[in-house]
Amino acid sequence: MSTSESGSPSATSLGTDRVKRGLAEMLKGGVIMDVVTAEQARIAEDAGAVAVMALERVPADIRAQGGVARMSDPDLIDEIIASVSIPVMAKARIGHFVEAQVLQALGVDYIDESEVLSPADYVNHIDKWQFTTPFVCGATNLGEALRRITEGAAMIRSKGEAGTGDVSEATKHIRTITSEINVLRSKTKDELYVAAKELQAPYELVAEIAETGKLPVVLFTAGGVATPADAALMMQLGADGVFVGSGIFKSGEPAKRAAAIVKATTFFDDPAVIADASRGLGEAMVGINVADLPAPHRLSERGW
Amino acid sequence: MLALQGDVREHLAVLRGLGAEAIPVRRPEELATVSGLVIPGGESSVIDKLSRLFGIAEPLRARIAAGMPVYGTCAGLIMLADTVLDSITGQQSLGGLDVAVRRNAFGNQNDSFETDLDIPELGEPAVHAVFIRAPVVESVGPRASVLASLPDGRVVAVEQDNLLGTSFHPEVTGEHRFHERFLDRVRAAA
């Protein structure tokens, strides 16, 4: 492969599977925070975020304001990249490979092909193997996760229901993925052919998961996490880390809440630490109960 | 195994594969029970913050000063460096290695790469090294020595007495020789 501009030596390979999946491995045990300004990005970094997601509107506002939600303004993404030293992620619409090309050209560290934005293609997702920049994609179940990995996703996040502050969908999705993995583990080889058919995923990948008992990429969780206890719940349910969207900057004291969620994610199995982190955080985001959301307004149903 | 954040699982698998008894360490009481420590890859700014917040940074500095063997990869190398360049405001390292390390020295994720490194001390074959938003050792003081460099001369692995640090991640490629080197020191120090 070619020598990069920053002067990496020759005979090096860029954008390999290992390098793409590897960055997600390094984010494990961490919190990735949605930010809409450079100032918020700095607050997130100071509070201990392991990466930030740069976007124009947090999911709660996208939900409230409606309309078509698209990739963010490149100026905003540039500003956020310039303002922090931790990895910067940004969202492209499902199937919008040109938005993804733009994000790669801007030098973001991870592209989120996200159901939070309005889909650009109701049939196809992006062919993510074509990119040097790694992708994270949402999933509500194992089959969806495996289809995204087959398309080249280097990290999976369970979807939850973004912008609600209601953690119930996130719980459902991470539980679904882990229990479907457990079911695979108990199957015989001939049953795995049928499982692959039912999951609409390649047999080789299904067989690999039946063997290892885990996805071949890192699994974070997202969508509705608003408190330190929510984050710890996700970790105890088997997530490798958490995304917090509207939960931080839609709350009363963002810096304090952000730091508290970071603590609870690391000490997810220590109720005393979580209790301590949960004290005096001011008001949490108001939130919407997912049950009150009519089905057409549920973002987690986007993705195929 | 310092387990505040990062690729803890990969390191634990390598250490246990080599027959070591390895545990995750997040608290001072846990640190007191181990005879060596690996600091994983991750975000150095986060590992630093959590290590101070939960009171493990100071006891860890004391253990390093007392000669406990420590191996750091990527963020772990940053934590072991006496001087950190391009750190976030207020970021501290544990120190111990007489080197200055620059964070994200190669650029953003698109510049992350894999390559083969010849490391005479480890013999054949060459080490297949994975660099992920990796740091680089920008200057090496008299007490530290260079273990590996890229063909362009940039230093990516250093050691000093019982401390070992690499910019890259042997734990993700099945490369065991660095962990063996670390475990040899743990046994010798015990």
Side-chain angles (χ1 to χ4, degrees), chain B residues 65-151:
Chain B
M68 175 176 69
V70 183
Y71 173 32
T73 63
C74 197
L77 165 65
I78 296 170
M79 291 302 294
L80 287 176
D82 281 345
T83 308
V84 181
L85 307 168
D86 288 343
S87 55
I88 75 165
T89 314
Q91 182 172 352
Q92 298 175 14
S93 66
L94 299 162
L97 280 174
D98 184 13
V99 297
V101 170
R102 185 173 300 280
R103 291 174 74 219
N104 299 343
F106 297 92
N108 64 32
Q109 173 63 12
N110 292 336
D111 301 306
S112 292
F113 63 99
E114 301 185 28
T115 193
D116 286 324
L117 292 175
D118 280 317
I119 304 182
E121 281 85 345
L122 299 184
E124 294 290 324
V127 168
H128 188 70
V130 177
F131 293 80
I132 299 169
R133 285 175 50 95
V136 96
V137 179
E138 210 152 273
S139 65
V140 182
R143 285 174 292 131
S145 55
V146 174
L147 195 57
S149 308
L150 291 168

Side-chain angles (χ1 to χ4, degrees), chain A residues 273-301:
Chain A
V273 173
I274 301 165
D276 213 40
S278 305
R279 287 175 209 280
L281 294 183
E283 221 159 304
M285 70 178 283
V286 175
I288 309 168
N289 288 309
V290 173
D292 298 339
L293 274 181
H297 298 294
R298 293 190 190 169
L299 305 177
S300 63
E301 286 165 18

Side-chain angles (χ1 to χ4, degrees), chain A residues 69-71 91-103 111 113 117-121 124-127 131 135:
Chain A
R70 308 178 179 91
M71 176 188 81
K91 290 182 193 287
R93 282 179 268 177
I94 290 174
H96 206 316
F97 52 85
V98 174
E99 284 189 349
Q101 289 164 1
V102 171
L103 293 176
I111 298 168
E113 185 181 17
L117 305 183
S118 308
D121 188 328
N124 305 291
H125 281 252
I126 297 170
D127 175 4
F131 292 79
F135 279 74

Side-chain angles (χ1 to χ4, degrees), chain B:
Chain B
M1 187 69 236
L2 191 65
L4 295 167
Q5 191 273 317
D7 71 331
V8 175
R9 192 161 63 208
E10 286 71 13
H11 278 286
L12 283 175
V14 175
L15 292 169
R16 287 171 181 160
L18 292 170
E21 196 187 319
I23 59 159
V25 168
R26 289 177 296 180
R27 303 174 178 84
E29 326 60 289
E30 292 158 350
L31 178 66
T33 68
V34 300
S35 44
L37 190 73
V38 173
I39 308 179
E43 260 311 314
S44 60
S45 59
V46 177
I47 296 173
D48 160 48
K49 199 172 297 290
L50 289 168
S51 69
R52 283 187 279 141
L53 215 51
F54 289 94
I56 200 171
E58 276 312 315
L60 189 44
R61 279 195 188 103
R63 291 292 301 275
I64 291 171
M68 175 176 69
V70 183
Y71 173 32
T73 63
C74 197
L77 165 65
I78 296 170
M79 291 302 294
L80 287 176
D82 281 345
T83 308
V84 181
L85 307 168
D86 288 343
S87 55
I88 75 165
T89 314
Q91 182 172 352
Q92 298 175 14
S93 66
L94 299 162
L97 280 174
D98 184 13
V99 297
V101 170
R102 185 173 300 280
R103 291 174 74 219
N104 299 343
F106 297 92
N108 64 32
Q109 173 63 12
N110 292 336
D111 301 306
S112 292
F113 63 99
E114 301 185 28
T115 193
D116 286 324
L117 292 175
D118 280 317
I119 304 182
E121 281 85 345
L122 299 184
E124 294 290 324
V127 168
H128 188 70
V130 177
F131 293 80
I132 299 169
R133 285 175 50 95
V136 96
V137 179
E138 210 152 273
S139 65
V140 182
R143 285 174 292 131
S145 55
V146 174
L147 195 57
S149 308
L150 291 168
D152 64 6
R154 285 188 283 182
V155 175
V156 292
V158 286
E159 57 186 348
Q160 178 181 330
D161 305 321
N162 275 341
L163 304 178
L164 174 64
T166 59
S167 299
F168 49 91
H169 296 278
E171 74 280 9
V172 304
T173 53
E175 167 61 62
H176 292 170
R177 286 172 285 177
F178 292 94
H179 292 81
E180 280 166 14
R181 206 172 171 88
F182 159 73
L183 289 173
D184 284 345
R185 286 182 182 147
V186 174
R187 285 185 208 105

Side-chain angles (χ1 to χ4, degrees), chain A residues 89-175:
Chain A
M89 301 183 166
K91 290 182 193 287
R93 282 179 268 177
I94 290 174
H96 206 316
F97 52 85
V98 174
E99 284 189 349
Q101 289 164 1
V102 171
L103 293 176
Q104 173 163 288
L106 291 174
V108 304
D109 295 297
Y110 242 92
I111 298 168
D112 184 359
E113 185 181 17
S114 178
E115 70 284 357
V116 168
L117 305 183
S118 308
D121 188 328
Y122 281 89
V123 179
N124 305 291
H125 281 252
I126 297 170
D127 175 4
K128 293 165 273 286
W129 298 112
Q130 303 306 316
F131 292 79
T132 304
T133 311
F135 279 74
V136 54
C137 288
T140 57
N141 56 49
L142 182 59
E144 203 177 350
L146 297 186
R147 289 194 292 281
R148 297 297 87 80
I149 293 167
T150 307
E151 295 156 2
M155 177 179 187
I156 294 292
R157 55 173 172 74
S158 63
K159 283 180 183 170
E161 190 55 46
T164 59
D166 178 348
V167 81
S168 63
E169 289 292 292
T171 309
K172 181 165 101 188
H173 298 155
I174 188 87
R175 275 194 188 274

